[in-house]
Amino acid sequence: MTHPMLVVAIQGKVGRVSMPANSSAPEKLSKTSFVRIVVRILGVIVALAASALALPLALAVLGAYFPRIPKIGVIGPVLTGQYPFHMALFAVVAGGLAVGAWALGWPRWGGTVTTVAVVTTVAALVVAGLQYADARRVWTVVSWHDMFSELGLPAAVPDSVETYAEPGGQALRVDVYLPEKRSGSTVPAIVLAHAGGFHTFDKEDLRGTGRWLADRGVAVFAIDYRLATREQPTWDRAPQDVACAVGWVQEHAGQYGVDSARVSLGGMSAGGTLAMNAGYRLSRGEIESSCGNAPKAPASVVGFYPGTDVTWMWNHNSQGTREAAELFTGGTPQQFPDRYRVVSPTSDIRQGLPRTLLVVGDRDTSAIPSTVTDFGAALDTAGVDNRVHVLPFAVHAFDDAYGSLSSQASRQLLFDFLVTDSPR
């Protein structure tokens, strides 16, 4: 039998011991729950940030690999092809955020985004690796600084700006980029015509290439030419302006320290079409200059992602090629078949043409690679010395991203072509 006083004592002791614990339990539980809620909310925020970064990157890289996918097949090759290392770095950041979300209590969500980020990083680095290997294959000294700092065109300034002709009272200007003068020596030169579908843009788009070549010993003359409008096509004006510019440089070779026998002609996109057309017709004496001079044929011809056949441009109708063809010629191939034939470089293929360099990206949907490689094959058949280079994962106007691997490789290709007797 238990003594009543013992029971009271035991109950009192238990009560004294247990009461403080029981009174703090709700407070501790409340703090723990609050912390858990904050952590979960933070995890959602981090997971959302990771997803918002990783998924667009993944779609862009997917579009680069599969450019026929609607929409992402347009923007993907541009972002991934021109900035693969940047894409990989952003994917690594997304992966880091996803790991954080995993640690903050969202393992499935974080794990899924981590996987997406890792795959995206690897895929972007594969693009970078292929481009780097291609650049080194053509002896490019890759500038990592330019790759990460020159995302667009650099702020280069020409040595002088001159007027090379005034057809119809319209002043046509040329940006002159010159190497450092060396006593008793002359340098090769190239006249460059800008892109823009025959109806837009100007010579300033060539400032990056112009300064880069001049710094390495090649004089560059970046020209404007008469642009087409709906009221005034320029199929019989712009090629003649380009021919005029060649003659002007040849006539002023001594003034600029240029070897008049090593003046080449080139251009980008529509400018490449004009350069090829004018250069080939000059070699046959079948084009007149818009400024009255009689230029010699250029030493060589260069086309970066050119339209090789203006009729094909009209039929293809991608990224404004049909509009460009119609503005340039004044109508359709059915209306003006002779105009389309005259201005298309494919009409000029024959023996005796100047040696030719053609460069195009394998993701170009405007001047698609097969049109350029087929043109090169036709030059081979005609016995014309030429080189065609297809850049991996490069789009139309890839050189707008001055520091990109494709842009750096293309400049090296152009430099080697201009300073050697035959393409490397």
Side-chain angles (χ1 to χ4, degrees):
M1 183 174 179
T2 306
H3 195 282
M5 293 299 292
L6 181 60
V7 172
V8 173
I10 293 173
Q11 288 178 342
K13 186 177 181 181
V14 171
R16 286 194 299 272
V17 173
S18 61
M19 282 178 64
N22 289 337
S23 66
S24 64
E27 183 180 353
K28 288 185 176 181
L29 180 61
S30 176
K31 289 181 179 179
T32 302
S33 299
F34 177 75
V35 171
R36 287 178 179 175
I37 291 171
V38 170
V39 169
R40 295 283 286 180
I41 293 174
L42 182 59
V44 170
I45 294 173
V46 173
L48 286 172
S51 301
L53 185 57
L55 294 182
L57 290 171
L59 290 174
V61 172
L62 182 66
Y65 278 85
F66 303 100
R68 292 188 178 182
I69 299 176
K71 294 184 179 180
I72 65 170
V74 176
I75 189 64
V78 174
L79 292 176
T80 308
Q82 295 187 145
Y83 313 108
F85 283 111
H86 302 76
M87 298 286 284
L89 287 174
F90 280 120
V92 168
V93 172
L97 290 171
V99 170
W102 192 341
L104 290 170
W106 297 94
R108 290 186 179 179
W109 190 351
T112 300
V113 178
T114 299
T115 301
V116 171
V118 169
V119 172
T120 302
T121 301
V122 172
L125 289 176
V126 168
V127 173
L130 291 172
Q131 291 184 337
Y132 182 80
D134 182 69
R136 295 298 299 140
R137 194 176 299 118
V138 297
W139 307 99
T140 305
V141 179
V142 174
S143 170
W144 296 93
H145 176 270
D146 286 352
M147 193 186 308
F148 287 98
S149 63
E150 299 288 358
L151 304 184
L153 292 173
V157 178
D159 294 290
S160 66
V161 181
E162 310 292 344
T163 298
Y164 73 88
E166 295 184 84
Q170 180 179 346
L172 298 178
R173 308 281 276 172
V174 52
D175 287 345
V176 181
Y177 300 88
L178 296 174
E180 292 185 5
K181 288 188 176 181
R182 297 179 180 177
S183 178
S185 64
T186 57
V187 298
I190 184 167
V191 176
L192 284 179
H194 64 82
F198 309 110
H199 65 95
T200 188
F201 302 151
D202 59 38
K203 57 186 170 50
E204 290 188 5
D205 290 342
L206 300 165
R207 61 186 182 271
T209 300
R211 177 51 61 202
W212 189 91
L213 286 172
D215 287 346
R216 287 155 181 80
V218 177
V220 176
F221 298 83
I223 63 168
D224 281 335
Y225 49 85
R226 281 175 287 183
L227 300 177
T229 65
R230 296 199 178 279
E231 296 74 29
Q232 183 61 68
T234 54
W235 67 277
D236 58 346
R237 299 184 178 200
Q240 288 75 6
D241 293 343
V242 173
C244 168
V246 172
W248 184 88
V249 173
Q250 291 170 345
E251 291 171 2
H252 292 80
Q255 176 183 344
Y256 294 112
V258 166
D259 182 347
S260 62
R262 299 178 70 191
V263 177
S264 297
L265 175 59
M268 282 63 177
S269 193
T273 304
L274 292 174
M276 294 163 69
N277 178 245
Y280 293 162
R281 290 165 71 186
L282 280 172
S283 72
R284 304 195 314 270
E286 295 180 3
I287 186 173
E288 294 182 358
S289 162
S290 61
C291 50
N293 55 15
K296 299 176 183 177
S300 63
V301 170
V302 176
F304 273 30
Y305 43 91
T308 57
D309 186 332
V310 182
T311 300
W312 182 92
M313 289 172 58
W314 190 91
N315 290 329
H316 182 53
N317 194 24
S318 174
Q319 297 186 20
T321 57
R322 177 171 292 179
E323 179 188 21
E326 290 187 0
L327 287 171
F328 185 40
T329 62
T332 68
Q334 292 73 32
Q335 292 174 292
F336 302 111
D338 289 343
R339 294 183 183 182
Y340 275 78
R341 177 187 56 78
V342 167
V343 296
S344 294
T346 49
S347 303
D348 299 314
I349 298 175
R350 65 192 69 189
Q351 289 182 336
L353 296 179
R355 65 190 188 94
T356 301
L357 171 67
L358 302 172
V359 181
V360 68
D362 69 1
R363 294 302 190 267
D364 195 326
T365 58
S366 181
I368 64 174
S370 62
T371 63
V372 177
T373 55
D374 288 349
F375 190 91
L379 290 177
D380 284 335
T381 301
V384 178
D385 185 7
N386 74 95
R387 179 176 184 179
V388 179
H389 192 89
V390 180
L391 296 161
F393 286 93
V395 295
H396 198 73
F398 54 80
D399 46 348
D400 283 349
Y402 177 84
S404 69
L405 284 167
S406 296
S407 187
Q408 292 192 46
S410 70
R411 290 194 294 271
Q412 188 66 52
L413 284 163
L414 178 55
F415 173 77
D416 285 351
F417 182 81
L418 295 174
V419 300
T420 57
D421 293 332
S422 60
R424 190 183 273 173

Coordinates of all heavy atoms in Angstrom, one line a residue, residues 56-89:
P56 N 14.8 27.8 -71.5 CA 15.1 28.6 -72.7 C 16.4 28.2 -73.3 O 16.6 28.1 -74.5 CB 15.0 30.0 -72.3 CG 14.2 30.1 -71.1 CD 14.5 28.8 -70.4
L57 N 17.4 28.0 -72.4 CA 18.7 27.6 -73.0 C 18.7 26.3 -73.6 O 19.2 26.1 -74.7 CB 19.7 27.6 -71.8 CG 20.2 28.9 -71.2 CD1 21.0 28.7 -69.9 CD2 21.0 29.7 -72.2
A58 N 17.9 25.3 -73.0 CA 17.8 24.0 -73.6 C 17.1 24.1 -75.0 O 17.5 23.4 -75.9 CB 17.1 23.1 -72.6
L59 N 16.0 24.9 -75.0 CA 15.3 25.0 -76.3 C 16.2 25.6 -77.4 O 16.2 25.2 -78.5 CB 14.1 25.9 -76.1 CG 12.9 25.2 -75.3 CD1 11.8 26.2 -75.0 CD2 12.4 24.0 -76.0
A60 N 17.0 26.6 -77.0 CA 17.9 27.3 -78.0 C 18.9 26.3 -78.5 O 19.2 26.3 -79.7 CB 18.6 28.5 -77.3
V61 N 19.5 25.5 -77.6 CA 20.5 24.5 -78.0 C 19.8 23.5 -78.9 O 20.4 23.0 -79.9 CB 21.2 23.9 -76.8 CG1 22.1 22.7 -77.3 CG2 22.0 25.0 -76.1
L62 N 18.6 23.1 -78.5 CA 17.9 22.1 -79.3 C 17.6 22.6 -80.7 O 17.8 21.9 -81.7 CB 16.5 21.8 -78.6 CG 15.7 20.7 -79.3 CD1 16.3 19.3 -79.3 CD2 14.3 20.6 -78.7
G63 N 17.3 23.9 -80.8 CA 17.1 24.5 -82.1 C 18.3 24.6 -83.0 O 18.2 24.5 -84.2
A64 N 19.5 24.7 -82.3 CA 20.7 24.7 -83.1 C 21.0 23.4 -83.7 O 21.5 23.3 -84.8 CB 21.9 25.1 -82.1
Y65 N 20.7 22.3 -83.0 CA 20.9 21.0 -83.5 C 19.8 20.6 -84.5 O 20.1 19.8 -85.4 CB 20.9 20.0 -82.3 CG 22.3 19.9 -81.6 CD1 22.6 20.8 -80.6 CD2 23.2 18.9 -82.0 CE1 23.8 20.7 -79.9 CE2 24.4 18.9 -81.3 CZ 24.7 19.8 -80.3 OH 25.9 19.7 -79.7
F66 N 18.6 21.1 -84.3 CA 17.5 20.7 -85.2 C 16.9 22.0 -85.7 O 15.8 22.4 -85.2 CB 16.5 19.8 -84.5 CG 17.1 18.6 -83.9 CD1 17.4 18.5 -82.6 CD2 17.4 17.5 -84.7 CE1 18.0 17.3 -82.0 CE2 17.9 16.3 -84.2 CZ 18.3 16.3 -82.9
P67 N 17.5 22.7 -86.7 CA 17.0 24.0 -87.1 C 15.7 24.0 -87.8 O 15.1 25.0 -88.1 CB 18.1 24.5 -88.0 CG 18.9 23.3 -88.5 CD 18.8 22.3 -87.3
R68 N 15.2 22.8 -88.2 CA 13.9 22.7 -88.9 C 12.7 22.8 -87.9 O 11.6 23.0 -88.3 CB 13.8 21.4 -89.7 CG 14.7 21.4 -90.8 CD 14.5 20.2 -91.7 NE 15.4 20.2 -92.9 CZ 15.3 19.3 -93.9 NH1 14.4 18.3 -93.8 NH2 16.2 19.3 -94.9
I69 N 13.0 22.8 -86.6 CA 11.9 22.9 -85.6 C 11.4 24.4 -85.7 O 12.2 25.3 -85.6 CB 12.4 22.6 -84.2 CG1 12.9 21.2 -84.1 CG2 11.3 22.9 -83.2 CD1 13.5 20.8 -82.7
P70 N 10.1 24.6 -85.8 CA 9.6 26.0 -85.9 C 10.0 26.9 -84.8 O 10.1 26.4 -83.6 CB 8.1 25.8 -86.0 CG 7.9 24.4 -86.5 CD 9.0 23.6 -85.9
K71 N 10.3 28.1 -85.1 CA 10.6 29.2 -84.1 C 12.0 28.9 -83.4 O 12.9 29.7 -83.6 CB 9.5 29.3 -83.1 CG 8.2 29.8 -83.7 CD 7.1 30.1 -82.7 CE 5.9 30.6 -83.3 NZ 4.8 30.9 -82.4
I72 N 12.1 27.9 -82.6 CA 13.4 27.7 -81.9 C 14.5 27.3 -82.9 O 15.6 27.5 -82.6 CB 13.3 26.6 -80.8 CG1 13.0 25.2 -81.4 CG2 12.2 27.0 -79.8 CD1 13.1 24.1 -80.3
G73 N 14.1 26.8 -84.1 CA 15.1 26.5 -85.1 C 15.6 27.8 -85.8 O 16.5 27.7 -86.6
V74 N 15.0 28.9 -85.5 CA 15.4 30.2 -86.0 C 16.4 30.9 -85.0 O 17.5 31.2 -85.4 CB 14.2 31.1 -86.4 CG1 14.8 32.5 -86.8 CG2 13.4 30.5 -87.4
I75 N 15.9 31.0 -83.8 CA 16.7 31.7 -82.8 C 17.8 30.8 -82.2 O 18.9 31.3 -81.9 CB 15.8 32.3 -81.7 CG1 16.6 33.2 -80.8 CG2 15.2 31.1 -80.9 CD1 17.1 34.5 -81.4
G76 N 17.6 29.5 -82.1 CA 18.5 28.6 -81.5 C 19.9 28.7 -82.2 O 20.9 28.8 -81.5
P77 N 19.9 28.5 -83.5 CA 21.3 28.5 -84.2 C 22.0 29.9 -84.0 O 23.2 29.9 -84.0 CB 20.9 28.3 -85.6 CG 19.6 27.5 -85.6 CD 18.9 28.1 -84.4
V78 N 21.2 31.0 -83.9 CA 21.9 32.3 -83.7 C 22.6 32.3 -82.4 O 23.7 32.7 -82.3 CB 20.8 33.4 -83.9 CG1 21.5 34.8 -83.6 CG2 20.3 33.4 -85.3
L79 N 21.8 32.0 -81.3 CA 22.4 32.1 -80.0 C 23.5 31.1 -79.7 O 24.6 31.4 -79.3 CB 21.2 31.9 -78.9 CG 20.2 33.1 -78.9 CD1 19.1 32.7 -77.9 CD2 20.8 34.4 -78.5
T80 N 23.2 29.8 -80.1 CA 24.1 28.8 -79.8 C 25.3 28.8 -80.7 O 26.5 28.6 -80.3 CB 23.4 27.4 -79.9 OG1 22.3 27.4 -79.1 CG2 24.4 26.3 -79.4
G81 N 25.0 29.1 -82.0 CA 26.1 29.1 -83.0 C 27.1 30.3 -82.8 O 28.3 30.1 -83.0
Q82 N 26.6 31.4 -82.3 CA 27.5 32.6 -82.1 C 28.0 32.7 -80.7 O 29.1 33.3 -80.5 CB 26.7 33.9 -82.5 CG 26.3 33.9 -84.0 CD 25.7 35.2 -84.4 OE1 25.9 35.7 -85.5 NE2 24.9 35.8 -83.5
Y83 N 27.3 32.1 -79.7 CA 27.7 32.3 -78.4 C 27.7 30.9 -77.6 O 27.1 30.8 -76.5 CB 26.9 33.3 -77.6 CG 26.6 34.6 -78.4 CD1 25.4 34.9 -79.0 CD2 27.7 35.5 -78.6 CE1 25.2 36.0 -79.7 CE2 27.5 36.7 -79.3 CZ 26.3 36.9 -79.9 OH 26.1 38.1 -80.6
P84 N 28.3 29.9 -78.1 CA 28.2 28.6 -77.4 C 28.8 28.5 -76.0 O 28.2 27.9 -75.1 CB 29.0 27.6 -78.4 CG 29.9 28.5 -79.1 CD 29.2 29.8 -79.3
F85 N 29.9 29.2 -75.8 CA 30.5 29.2 -74.5 C 29.7 30.0 -73.5 O 29.5 29.6 -72.3 CB 31.9 29.8 -74.5 CG 33.0 28.9 -75.0 CD1 33.6 29.1 -76.3 CD2 33.4 27.8 -74.3 CE1 34.6 28.3 -76.8 CE2 34.3 26.9 -74.8 CZ 34.9 27.2 -76.0
H86 N 29.1 31.1 -74.0 CA 28.2 31.9 -73.1 C 27.0 31.0 -72.7 O 26.5 31.0 -71.6 CB 27.7 33.1 -73.8 CG 28.8 34.0 -74.3 ND1 29.6 33.7 -75.3 CD2 29.3 35.2 -73.8 CE1 30.5 34.7 -75.5 NE2 30.3 35.6 -74.5
M87 N 26.4 30.3 -73.7 CA 25.3 29.4 -73.4 C 25.7 28.3 -72.4 O 24.9 28.0 -71.4 CB 24.8 28.7 -74.7 CG 24.3 29.7 -75.8 SD 22.7 30.4 -75.4 CE 21.7 29.0 -75.8
A88 N 26.9 27.8 -72.5 CA 27.3 26.8 -71.6 C 27.4 27.3 -70.2 O 27.1 26.7 -69.2 CB 28.6 26.1 -72.0
L89 N 28.0 28.5 -70.1 CA 28.2 29.2 -68.8 C 26.8 29.4 -68.1 O 26.7 29.2 -66.9 CB 29.0 30.5 -68.9 CG 30.5 30.3 -69.2 CD1 31.1 31.7 -69.4 CD2 31.2 29.6 -68.0

